[in-house]
Amino acid sequence: QVHLVESGGGLMQAGGSLRLTCAASGRSFSGYAMGWFRQAPGKDREFVGSTSWSGATTYYADSVKGRFTISRDNALNTVYLQMNSLKPEDTAVYYCATGPSRLPGYYRDYEPGRQIDYWGQGTQVTVSS
């Protein structure tokens, strides 16, 4: 069992920055890719970004490319999402997730209904114009 806890969300003006943190506990998630997702009111959950276990391979949704950066510290079992140049359309609940795949492309290709083993509880990000 893996337990994921996100933190770092909040209210920010457009153009500002936030860093989200996803802390994992439980069994080791060594070797597994991690994904970040978001869900805005009335919309499906969507892919934001993913990273391989080493951090060498990352993918981003087109809507955040160049503004968001994923990093991870495996010694701390933690993954980060640095969000810069925030826009009102970035407003959503942000989730981290892992399993069953070790490949970051698995999370990149996420569609509702695709198996994801572990989700965090989410953290709210609100960007005002």
Side-chain angles (χ1 to χ4, degrees), residues 10 15-16 23 27 46 63 66 95 100 104 120 122:
R27 71 158 173 82
E46 65 176 7
S63 57
Y95 301 88

Side-chain angles (χ1 to χ4, degrees), residues 38-46 89-93 95 124:
R38 66 186 182 186
Q39 188 166 18
K43 294 188 176 181
D44 289 332
R45 194 168 296 187
E46 65 176 7
E89 50 263 44
D90 294 321
T91 295
V93 178
Y95 301 88
Q124 176 71 48

Side-chain angles (χ1 to χ4, degrees), residues 17-105:
S17 298
L18 284 172
R19 189 177 80 157
L20 305 184
T21 298
C22 172
S25 61
R27 71 158 173 82
S28 172
F29 69 124
S30 174
Y32 282 85
M34 297 286 292
W36 281 98
F37 300 81
R38 66 186 182 186
Q39 188 166 18
K43 294 188 176 181
D44 289 332
R45 194 168 296 187
E46 65 176 7
F47 168 78
V48 174
S50 59
T51 177
S52 60
W53 179 76
S54 69
T57 300
T58 55
Y59 297 110
Y60 297 95
D62 288 343
S63 57
V64 307
K65 204 171 292 183
R67 300 188 298 120
F68 290 11
T69 303
I70 294 175
S71 59
R72 64 190 298 169
D73 186 335
N74 291 328
L76 298 178
N77 282 350
T78 300
V79 180
Y80 306 98
L81 181 66
Q82 178 67 43
M83 305 187 297
N84 299 329
S85 302
L86 284 163
K87 304 176 180 180
E89 50 263 44
D90 294 321
T91 295
V93 178
Y94 283 72
Y95 301 88
C96 62
T98 192
S101 180
R102 297 174 182 265
L103 300 177

